[in-house]
Amino acid sequence: MNNIYQPYKMKIVSVKDETQDVKTFRLAFDDPVIGEGFSFRAGQFGEFSVFGEGEATFCISSSPTRRGYIECSVKSIGKVTEELHKMSVGDIIGFRGPYGNFFPIEKMYKRDLIFIGGGIGLAPLRSLIWNCLDEREKYGAITILYGARSVADLVYKDELAEWERREDITFIKTVDPGGETEDWDGSVGFVPTVMRELDLRPETSYSIVCGPPIMIKFVIQGLNFMGFSPEQIITTLEMKMKCGLGKCGRCNIGNKYVCKDGPVFNFAQIEQFPKEF
Amino acid sequence: MYKVIERKKLNKIICHLMKDHLVIAPIKPKGKEKTIQDITDPEQIDWGKGNSPISPKHLFFPQSEVLFSFTRKKNDVIIKGIGNHNKSRILIGIRSCDAAAMTLMDNVFGGDYKDHLFLAFRKKTFVISLACNEPEDLCFCTSVDLSPFSEKGSDILLCDIGDGKFFAHIITEAAEEFYLQFKDKFLEPTQNDIQERERRCERALGKLTQYFPVKDIKAWLDNNFDSPLWKILAPECIGCGTCTFLCPTCHCFDIVDESQAYMGERRKNWDSCAFEHFTQMQAHQPRPFQWQRFRQRIMHKLKYFVDRFSEVACVGCGRCRAKCPVNIDIIDVIRRIEQENRSDDSVHKERLAL
């Protein structure tokens, strides 16, 4: 029987500085045979580990359509993530996954999609965004609204520029008031405020939202006001996890385990949760 | 299949089995509390009344368990898995409640992702449990669908019927094989043996006449996550985790690395929902207060576990009641909730009447 706690070895292929404390690691399976057999869906996560420091939970931020590697974007915030930030190309880290459910992408075919992200919360959306852009013809209008506290806090800057250039999507970037620089060419304002300017068709849309809790709260209010039903608003939740397999007992919200029943939920489901997160 | 075996004969079987099995049993070292550990002589087994303060869960779910070891090299890491090298084991003399507890943990460690370490321990352990002829004051197994002579989780269930004899209920296929292997040591039960066993069962049940509504508060738990009652149910809880560590069904764990310079191990260690760090994230803590962590424990045992596996995560062993340093009693808590439930119910009925 396999050891479910034993990770695959993955080699760091590249490291990209996103912000002062966020790096994106591109990883490839050390054993190419495992790499070829590996697949995942946008929205799933993994347990990433630095041997000797321990494991940490991150979503896979690259798209399943890009084969041969996975990426994770990591904010240096604790023991494991600080050590991870010290690692460089060629180093080996551990990976267990993919775990959890995923974005209901089949339901999104032919629909308009509105991605609303804040800060590092763009990471799980990025997986789905590239997934949709790589099969662009399957979806209706695609709108991406991304905001961060300041220009320096925006992640995936090259990709933001690419999205801005594309004519088959609407892309809006914003920073909180006071976070703009002199040469900032995006909006200035909080995401829920900027959102009001969007011209959307709620009846045929899905909105996929991820960001800090306070942003999510007001974005949901806004979407509700525009006419989105809770079923049409999808997010991915974060709780402290260890096993990722529904066993270690800590990531539950009520009787739902975020690691197994989630991390992707729509707001009709979330409204049923006890208020514990 | 029901048989009878004399303790002397049983001891002989155990001696024989010790050659290629690890035999584990409750023992009572002089001047110390009863514990459960490897034995080298069947005479060490404590067949006396009273359960051990620790449960046998550590035999399947060790307090700290190596998942694999690793050595860091330049640009590489060598991972060395842990093989299933554990010897076949005979676990003898544990109580029915503790045997039942192991089957509850099967739900968690089995399933779609199988914890090979736990399941290997389960598979390699033959369980000969002992019915409780004298349940203790804090026991409440009959309130959770079990009994002092529940068969759940046992291969053979023994009942001490006096005169150095055990009544043996041969339960599983493995137990039938065991019986066939040692057939000449067993006796057919006489009418007297059967009556004696029945008498002892009845006497034991007579000590457990009180029924506590452990399972009946589920409906209240379903609807009252936000009840103000939670804040006042266990204000004295100091979050020490004793209840969770002694509980034979509590199974929450942490995964941590322990390493020196280039080598180390990843371990699975007991953890507890009573601890603040259990859910503490860098920027967020869903359960900042002790009463919320206490609520999680009650909810997990009596609602979430039931929702997931259709059983309460409690076997009524009473250890948490006995050992809480601030005397929190899960039965008091359950009764208080039941009271609340009834008054909710009567309010509801009054409203309907109006």
Side-chain angles (χ1 to χ4, degrees), chain B residues 168-227:
Chain B
H169 184 181
I170 314 287
I171 301 160
T172 59
E173 256 175 59
E176 275 170 37
E177 278 171 35
F178 180 97
Y179 165 71
L180 290 176
Q181 194 186 342
F182 302 105
K183 204 172 172 185
D184 57 320
K185 303 272 190 300
F186 286 87
L187 303 166
E188 287 304 315
T190 64
Q191 203 54 38
N192 257 348
D193 293 335
I194 294 167
Q195 280 170 358
E196 185 56 31
R197 176 178 183 258
E198 270 169 20
R199 257 199 300 279
R200 293 193 181 224
C201 287
E202 268 167 38
R203 208 188 308 151
L205 274 180
K207 293 197 170 190
L208 292 165
T209 48
Q210 244 186 314
Y211 176 81
F212 304 110
V214 184
K215 293 160 54 210
D216 311 339
I217 59 169
K218 170 79 164 55
W220 188 88
L221 296 176
D222 285 343
N223 297 309
N224 285 283
F225 185 87
D226 294 317
S227 168

Side-chain angles (χ1 to χ4, degrees), chain A residues 11-242:
Chain A
K11 200 166 239 149
I12 299 178
V13 179
S14 67
V15 184
K16 191 160 175 243
D17 287 310
E18 300 289 357
T19 70
Q20 225 174 4
D21 57 0
V22 176
K23 288 184 181 186
T24 296
F25 296 86
R26 180 173 290 193
L27 309 164
F29 284 91
D30 193 42
D31 179 347
V33 178
I34 295 172
E36 266 165 45
F38 179 83
S39 64
F40 71 99
R41 306 286 302 266
Q44 289 191 292
F45 68 94
E47 294 294 332
F48 296 78
S49 55
V50 178
F51 293 95
E53 296 300 328
E55 293 186 310
T57 312
F58 312 115
C59 69
I60 302 172
S61 64
S62 54
S63 166
T65 49
R66 312 285 171 101
R67 306 277 301 170
Y69 64 87
I70 61 169
E71 287 177 337
C72 62
S73 301
V74 180
K75 191 168 187 157
S76 175
I77 201 166
K79 197 173 90 166
V80 176
T81 52
E82 273 168 25
E83 283 307 312
L84 199 48
H85 268 238
K86 289 180 199 158
M87 299 184 86
S88 47
V89 172
D91 287 344
I92 295 282
I93 70 162
F95 169 79
R96 294 192 286 123
Y99 295 146
N101 69 355
F102 40 85
F103 292 111
I105 198 162
E106 285 81 8
K107 282 191 191 167
M108 296 176 176
Y109 292 161
K110 296 204 171 82
R111 301 298 193 96
D112 291 355
L113 303 178
I114 302 98
F115 294 95
I116 304 178
I120 185 78
L122 186 59
L125 300 187
R126 174 187 183 239
S127 175
L128 183 61
I129 290 172
W130 280 117
N131 194 156
C132 296
L133 293 181
D134 286 346
E135 39 185 40
R136 181 68 190 87
E137 69 289 350
K138 288 185 182 170
Y139 308 91
I142 291 180
T143 306
I144 303 168
L145 166 57
Y146 175 55
R149 251 180 325 195
S150 71
V151 174
D153 289 308
L154 295 162
V155 293
Y156 310 129
K157 289 190 180 71
D158 298 345
E159 289 159 65
L160 302 184
E162 196 179 331
W163 294 343
E164 203 159 16
R165 280 194 302 271
R166 280 181 81 129
E167 286 178 358
D168 57 351
I169 60 174
T170 307
F171 176 73
I172 300 141
K173 59 185 183 186
T174 184
V175 292
D176 293 353
E180 69 271 28
T181 50
E182 259 175 43
D183 56 352
W184 174 243
D185 58 349
S187 303
V188 176
F190 296 107
V191 169
T193 317
V194 176
M195 194 180 88
R196 289 184 210 147
E197 296 157 21
L198 298 177
D199 182 21
L200 305 175
R201 292 177 296 182
E203 58 284 351
T204 57
S205 301
Y206 273 107
S207 180
I208 307 95
V209 183
C210 191
I214 187 76
M215 181 205 94
I216 292 199
K217 187 180 162 186
F218 289 108
V219 165
I220 301 307
Q221 283 178 9
L223 289 170
N224 279 336
F225 182 76
M226 288 176 175
F228 281 82
S229 72
E231 287 83 2
Q232 290 171 290
I233 309 169
I234 296 163
T235 192
T236 165
L237 297 181
E238 193 186 4
M239 288 291 260
K240 186 166 181 174
M241 290 182 194
K242 286 288 178 173

Side-chain angles (χ1 to χ4, degrees), chain B residues 9-67:
Chain B
K9 295 266 173 72
L10 180 64
N11 283 356
K12 278 206 177 123
I13 296 178
I14 295 167
C15 279
H16 175 79
L17 288 170
M18 270 176 177
K19 282 178 222 156
D20 48 4
H21 290 75
L22 201 59
V23 178
I24 306 165
I27 62 165
K28 175 132 185 23
K30 243 190 179 154
K32 286 186 182 162
E33 289 202 276
K34 199 186 268 197
T35 182
I36 297 172
Q37 64 180 57
D38 310 356
I39 58 165
T40 49
D41 179 353
E43 290 296 336
Q44 287 173 275
I45 302 173
D46 183 292
W47 295 104
K49 71 173 266 192
N51 205 348
S52 54
I54 59 153
S55 85
K57 83 171 165 190
H58 65 279
L59 301 170
F60 306 91
F61 170 39
Q63 190 154 11
S64 184
E65 183 175 35
V66 178
L67 297 170

